[in-house]
Amino acid sequence: AHSARVTFTGHGVKALPASQEEALLRVAQEALHNALRHSGADHVDVTLDRRDGGAVLRVTDDGSGFDPQAVRRAGRHLGLVSMRDRASGAGGTLTVESAPGKGTTIEMEVPGG
Ligand SMILES: Nc1ncnc2c1ncn2[C@@H]1O[C@H](COP(=O)(O)OP(=O)(O)OP(=O)(O)O)[C@@H](O)[C@H]1O
Ligand SMILES: [Mg+2]
């Protein structure tokens, strides 16, 4: 359905509270969906790593990138809003790093149990 090469790597993450695992999964799904639908990337890399007692999820693409502030102002897109809500609902944080021509990295950190 798409031409991007998608990789996943995970290191050292132990079981987390179910609510955090579900939030990580939902954010990974939406970030991956966005990367495949909007970015035209050749590569999308998904990583899940242990940090302190919790975990960090990263979804990085080498596609078109976008201006996150302009999208926030436009206000009618639900995906980025729902990722933020999921992250904060799980006691974590979401960071969106993107710029036109520079690709996109979505990072979510959760604290663990
Ligand atoms: N990885 C990405 N690469 C390029 N542009 C992106 C990426 N992720 C998001 N965008 C841009 O940000 C906009 C907002 O994304 P968001 O997920 O909030 O909404 P959407 O995908 O358009 O709709 P939906 O509500 O179905 O998720 C997108 O329409 C797109 O222009
Ligand atoms: Mg979306």
Side-chain angles (χ1 to χ4, degrees), residues 5-101:
R5 184 173 297 269
V6 180
T7 64
F8 173 77
T9 58
H11 294 290
V13 176
K14 305 228 172 86
L16 294 164
S19 58
Q20 293 184 15
E21 291 189 347
E22 184 180 355
L24 285 164
L25 175 62
R26 296 297 177 199
V27 168
Q29 284 178 325
E30 173 59 18
L32 191 53
H33 192 217
N34 277 350
L36 295 176
R37 185 152 65 124
H38 299 301
S39 80
D42 294 323
H43 302 94
V44 184
D45 296 322
V46 181
T47 63
L48 185 64
D49 294 300
R50 190 181 172 89
R51 184 183 287 172
D52 305 323
V56 182
L57 167 76
R58 244 186 234 110
V59 180
T60 301
D61 70 63
D62 63 355
S64 62
F66 66 104
D67 177 351
Q69 289 192 349
V71 167
R72 266 183 122 165
R73 279 194 299 272
R76 63 196 133 73
H77 299 281
L78 291 179
L80 288 165
V81 173
S82 76
M83 287 195 281
R84 263 181 216 293
D85 288 351
R86 290 269 187 196
S88 63
T93 55
L94 188 89
T95 310
V96 177
E97 213 181 288
S98 189

